[in-house]
């Protein structure tokens, strides 16, 4: 049972990290620093904020699952 909790925790932490960093990984370096990027930065922030919150929640749940797996 503890290996299952630990495995689920690792998968959730991995998914949470990807969600949290997806906006950085998906940003085109040619657009950064341009006027278009600065004009639409508020829209990017609104979209990315939900992904970062979801990623943080997944990381928290995954870490908690790993801790439960460690002590069961």
């Amino acid at each position: 049972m503890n290996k299952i909790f630990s495995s689920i925790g690792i998968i959730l932490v991995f998914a949470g990290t990807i969600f949290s960093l997806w906006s950085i990984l998906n940003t085109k370096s040619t657009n950064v620093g341009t006027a278009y990027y600065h004009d639409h930065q508020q829209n990017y922030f609104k979209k990315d904020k939900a992904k970062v919150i979801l990623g943080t929640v997944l990381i928290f749940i995954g870490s908690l699952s790993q801790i439960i797996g460690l002590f069961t």
Side-chain angles (χ1 to χ4, degrees):
M1 187 68 166
N2 58 356
K3 290 182 181 181
I4 293 172
F5 276 116
S6 294
S7 298
I8 290 171
I10 291 169
I11 292 168
L12 289 175
V13 168
F14 176 74
T17 303
I18 295 299
F19 271 108
S20 296
L21 296 176
W22 190 253
S23 62
I24 295 171
L25 297 173
N26 201 25
T27 302
K28 295 180 183 178
S29 59
T30 56
N31 292 342
V32 175
T34 62
Y36 180 82
Y37 179 79
H38 288 293
D39 289 343
H40 295 88
Q41 196 168 10
Q42 187 175 10
N43 295 334
Y44 297 143
F45 177 77
K46 288 177 185 176
K47 291 178 187 176
D48 294 339
K49 184 177 178 181
K51 292 178 187 174
V52 170
I53 290 172
L54 176 63
T56 304
V57 169
L58 287 174
I59 290 170
F60 177 77
I61 293 171
S63 298
L64 190 63
S65 176
Q66 286 179 350
I67 292 169
I68 291 170
L70 183 66
F71 291 112
T72 58

